[in-house]
Amino acid sequence: MRSFNQGVKLLFLSFAVVSQAQTYHVSDHWKIGGAGGWDYLLSDDAAHRLYITHGPRVEVVDTTTGKPIGAVTGMKSTHGVALDPDGKTGYISDGAGNAIIVFDRATLAITATVPAGTNPDGITYEPVTRTVWAFNGRSKDVSVMDAASHRIVATIPLPGKPEFPQADGKGNVFVNIEDKNVIVKLDAKTNKAVTSWTLTGCDSPSGMAIDHAGHRLFSVCDGKKMAVSDFAAGKLVGLASIGDSPDAAGYDPKTRLAFSSNGEGTLSVVDTSKPGFPTVQTVTTVKGARTMAYDANTGKVFLSAAQYGPTPTPTAATPRPRPTVLQDSFEIIVVSR
């Protein structure tokens, strides 16, 4: 039996852990401006840079000051960014250009344009084989590019529309299949899909984060759910409750917290160390801020947002039109502890 003092101490420690988790807040707004839509962000933690896909360009911002560094320009419709461990090279998926864009991270100049499949979206670097994986939304396959030669070495068919990928660093790549509600595991050494598993209770999985040490994948889904998978076993292990209309996820290995950026205007913070994966905080952000990047060095979350004008009248060609983005309203929201 615990003593009274032991009970008080345990209660205090539990309160301290919860309080530590529940201190996220919006700490800054960085104005980017310009026009057009956006997609994924990527934090280069070591270089203190944030890469922001923004229409036909990728904005680059200094995360210590919030000031712009420059932009990679000359593309058609950017979706994702991946970085080479060499510290010198970056890769962009140009959806409307059906290409993987190679750029110099020092000068931000494009050094190569490599044809990919139709509408490449999610993109990641695989370190064991030193390849770049661009997941093509319309052709429902993945283009695998050798990073040294800039040559496509494989095109792997997928069972449906791919969304965000993650690499485990050991030769495996995982991707959400949005229209099938499954995760596909691909072997980078053989360039083949080796298995898949169903995300029961998860509709239209999009963003994905990874816990390398714990062998967990976190897929954000419609229906206010985050699917938690054991990627070593290849199975779903639970569902967490999150906000509505998510599109991106993040993970902090230090605190074992997972994040979901939600279009309703919230950031969900999920404690993955506890049974049932409880949501420990819901941070109010801005409506439409549904893409994010996480900086593991500073613990900051970066979200894309803008102000909106009226929604166009639906047509047969565009039955669900998006509202117009107001000129120069695009910004990055910074969430800190």
Side-chain angles (χ1 to χ4, degrees), residues 223-282:
K224 302 183 180 181
K225 296 296 180 183
M226 172 188 284
V228 183
S229 295
D230 180 336
F231 65 75
K235 65 178 183 179
L236 177 72
V237 295
L239 295 169
S241 295
I242 58 173
D244 194 27
S245 188
D247 195 42
Y251 179 73
D252 180 1
K254 297 175 184 176
T255 61
R256 296 180 65 185
L257 297 175
F259 306 89
S260 171
S261 50
N262 312 309
E264 68 177 13
T266 62
L267 177 74
S268 299
V269 185
V270 175
D271 189 342
T272 71
S273 69
K274 291 185 169 57
F277 311 110
T279 299
V280 294
Q281 189 181 3
T282 300

Side-chain angles (χ1 to χ4, degrees), residues 27-30 42-52 60-69 295 297-302 332 334 336:
S27 59
D28 211 343
H29 293 257
W30 298 339
L42 179 70
S43 174
D44 183 351
D45 302 351
H48 309 294
R49 284 186 169 194
L50 182 67
Y51 293 89
I52 309 157
V60 186
V61 172
D62 185 329
T63 56
T64 60
T65 64
K67 302 298 182 183
I69 293 172
D295 184 332
N297 284 350
T298 63
K300 292 181 178 180
V301 180
F302 306 106
I332 296 300
V334 184
S336 307

Side-chain angles (χ1 to χ4, degrees), residues 96-120:
N98 298 327
I100 299 170
I101 304 299
V102 185
F103 70 96
D104 184 311
R105 285 152 65 179
T107 65
L108 303 182
I110 292 175
T111 57
T113 298
V114 182
T118 308
N119 192 34

Side-chain angles (χ1 to χ4, degrees), residues 12 14 16-17 58 74 78 93 156 166 177 181 189 210 216 232 254-255 264 266 274 277 283 294 303-304 335:
F12 175 78
S14 298
V17 170
V58 172
T78 60
S93 54
I156 308 169
Q166 288 287 356
I177 304 298
N181 301 342
K189 296 176 183 177
I210 188 168
R216 294 287 189 262
K254 297 175 184 176
T255 61
E264 68 177 13
T266 62
K274 291 185 169 57
F277 311 110
V283 184
Y294 182 74
L303 305 105
S304 300
V335 174

Side-chain angles (χ1 to χ4, degrees), residues 12-272:
F12 175 78
L13 288 173
S14 298
F15 177 78
V17 170
V18 172
S19 297
Q20 181 185 25
Q22 295 181 337
T23 54
Y24 288 94
H25 63 284
V26 174
S27 59
D28 211 343
H29 293 257
W30 298 339
K31 183 175 180 180
I32 304 298
W38 59 89
D39 207 344
Y40 287 105
L41 307 88
L42 179 70
S43 174
D44 183 351
D45 302 351
H48 309 294
R49 284 186 169 194
L50 182 67
Y51 293 89
I52 309 157
T53 60
H54 187 200
R57 52 196 280 135
V58 172
E59 317 280 0
V60 186
V61 172
D62 185 329
T63 56
T64 60
T65 64
K67 302 298 182 183
I69 293 172
V72 185
T73 61
M75 294 161 288
K76 294 183 178 180
S77 177
T78 60
H79 288 287
V81 179
L83 300 178
D84 196 302
D86 68 0
K88 302 176 182 179
T89 313
Y91 311 97
I92 301 166
S93 54
D94 185 357
N98 298 327
I100 299 170
I101 304 299
V102 185
F103 70 96
D104 184 311
R105 285 152 65 179
T107 65
L108 303 182
I110 292 175
T111 57
T113 298
V114 182
T118 308
N119 192 34
D121 186 5
I123 188 169
T124 193
Y125 180 89
E126 202 295 299
V128 174
T129 56
R130 298 181 183 178
T131 49
V132 180
W133 293 56
F135 289 82
N136 307 304
R138 291 204 180 97
S139 54
K140 298 180 180 180
D141 53 20
V142 52
S143 300
V144 183
M145 184 188 79
D146 177 71
S149 66
H150 301 160
R151 185 174 60 87
I152 299 296
V153 295
T155 300
I156 308 169
L158 295 168
K161 182 180 181 296
E163 265 288 340
F164 203 79
Q166 288 287 356
D168 69 356
K170 296 181 178 180
N172 301 300
V173 180
F174 305 90
V175 64
N176 287 325
I177 304 298
E178 183 181 32
D179 55 349
K180 301 295 183 181
N181 301 342
V182 302
I183 290 177
V184 172
K185 175 183 178 180
L186 302 117
D187 186 330
K189 296 176 183 177
T190 62
N191 290 323
K192 292 181 179 180
V194 292
T195 190
S196 65
W197 61 92
T198 302
L199 300 178
T200 304
C202 163
D203 187 35
S204 300
S206 51
M208 177 192 283
I210 188 168
D211 171 7
H212 292 277
H215 302 122
R216 294 287 189 262
L217 294 170
F218 308 99
S219 303
V220 295
C221 318
D222 290 349
K224 302 183 180 181
K225 296 296 180 183
M226 172 188 284
V228 183
S229 295
D230 180 336
F231 65 75
K235 65 178 183 179
L236 177 72
V237 295
L239 295 169
S241 295
I242 58 173
D244 194 27
S245 188
D247 195 42
Y251 179 73
D252 180 1
K254 297 175 184 176
T255 61
R256 296 180 65 185
L257 297 175
F259 306 89
S260 171
S261 50
N262 312 309
E264 68 177 13
T266 62
L267 177 74
S268 299
V269 185
V270 175
D271 189 342
T272 71

